Amino acid sequence: MAKKTYDLLFKLLLIGDSGVGKTCILFRFSDDAFSTTFISTIGIDFKIKTVELRGKKIKLQIWDTAGQERFHTITTSYYRGAMGIMLVYDITAEKSFENIVNWLRNIDEHASENVEKMILGNKSDMEDKRVVSTEKGEKIAREHGIRFMETSAKADINIDRAFRELAEAIFDKTQGRDPHDAPDRVQVDRRQEKTSSRCC
C-alpha cells in the first residue's frame, strides 16, 4: 500500500477578475516560474505543492479559476470544499479592485462559512502604472476582517509568504486535525439564500 506523503491536505482557491495574474501567482508558487505570455484559464485548473509547516507536511491543492463571467457557473461549485480563498486584483486596474466586493459576495454565497480569506494586490512591481493605493487595499481588507498583501508574480514578491500565511491560518483553524475528519468541515447548504440576480 502506498504511504501517504503528507499529514494534511488543504484546498485553496484563487479568484478574481480575468487578467489580474492568478495563474502567474500559482505558477510562481508551484514551479517558481513566470511567463509573460497571457493564456486565459479555461474553466478551472489546479496545482499541488507540499510545504512544511510546524513540523507537518501540508499538501496544498490550489485551484486556479477563470475570471470571465461565462465560467462562473463552473467555478462557483469549487468554492464549496475550499478551506482558503485568495482574492486577487491588479493594482494597475481600478475595475479589478472595485470587483473585489462582488467576489466577496460570491464567497458568502458559495463557500463554507469558516473559509480563510486573503486579498492580494498583484503586480506590485508595476509601481509606475499603479492606480490602486496600498491604503485602499488595506482598508477593504480591514472592513471585511481579512488578511491583505501586495504581491508580484513577476518579481517574486510575497508569493511564498502569502500561501504560507494562508496555510498557517487554516492550520490554526483545523488545530492539527485532518480536515476530512474535522466536525467543523460539515458543509451547510445555504442555496436557498441565493437570489436569481447574477453579480460580477
Side-chain angles (χ1 to χ4, degrees):
M1 203 171 100
K3 188 179 176 290
K4 203 164 78 161
T5 55
Y6 59 91
D7 300 304
L8 294 163
L9 172 69
F10 293 169
K11 182 181 167 187
L12 309 180
L13 198 61
L14 283 161
I15 62 172
D17 284 10
S18 181
V20 295
K22 299 184 295 295
T23 305
C24 290
I25 287 171
L26 179 53
F27 269 87
R28 172 60 79 188
F29 179 66
S30 65
D31 302 358
D32 196 20
F34 180 80
S35 171
T36 50
T37 317
F38 174 66
I39 300 165
S40 195
T41 303
I42 306 295
I44 196 130
D45 195 7
F46 81 94
K47 288 263 187 192
I48 284 173
K49 182 166 177 172
T50 305
V51 296
E52 190 90 21
L53 212 62
R54 300 180 197 167
K56 296 264 187 199
K57 274 194 163 50
I58 315 285
K59 186 178 186 177
L60 301 178
Q61 189 183 65
I62 310 151
W63 294 85
D64 175 22
T65 64
Q68 296 99 320
E69 174 79 57
R70 68 181 186 277
F71 294 119
H72 279 198
T73 48
I74 311 169
T75 56
T76 50
S77 61
Y78 286 87
Y79 283 63
R80 282 195 287 276
M83 300 163 77
I85 297 179
M86 287 179 161
L87 300 96
V88 188
Y89 69 89
D90 175 352
I91 68 155
T92 71
E94 184 80 44
K95 187 84 184 119
S96 72
F97 176 73
E98 288 168 4
N99 281 337
I100 285 291
V101 289
N102 297 329
W103 289 107
L104 282 163
R105 200 175 305 130
N106 268 358
I107 292 173
D108 288 343
E109 283 181 24
H110 305 291
S112 70
E113 216 167 321
N114 60 352
V115 69
E116 281 294 332
K117 299 181 283 279
M118 180 183 266
I119 294 174
L120 299 183
N122 195 36
K123 306 190 186 179
S124 63
D125 57 291
M126 297 169 74
E127 198 56 55
D128 54 328
K129 294 196 173 93
R130 178 192 285 273
V131 291
V132 182
S133 68
T134 306
E135 291 71 37
K136 266 188 174 178
E138 286 170 344
K139 184 171 182 280
I140 193 167
R142 234 187 352 262
E143 283 168 4
H144 294 274
I146 55 186
R147 289 168 181 75
F148 168 78
M149 214 175 277
E150 284 197 341
T151 57
S152 166
K154 188 177 183 180
D156 195 8
I157 298 166
N158 283 340
I159 302 293
D160 201 65
R161 186 180 154 211
F163 280 99
R164 282 185 173 276
E165 280 196 16
L166 191 59
E168 284 202 9
I170 298 165
F171 187 87
D172 290 342
K173 198 165 266 188
T174 57
Q175 293 165 339
R177 292 170 302 188
D178 190 304
H180 300 294
D181 305 331
D184 60 354
R185 298 303 314 158
V186 174
Q187 295 301 326
V188 179
D189 189 354
R190 292 179 290 165
R191 271 182 294 204
Q192 69 276 11
E193 295 172 10
K194 268 187 244 167
T195 57
S196 57
S197 65
R198 289 232 46 84
C199 71
C200 53

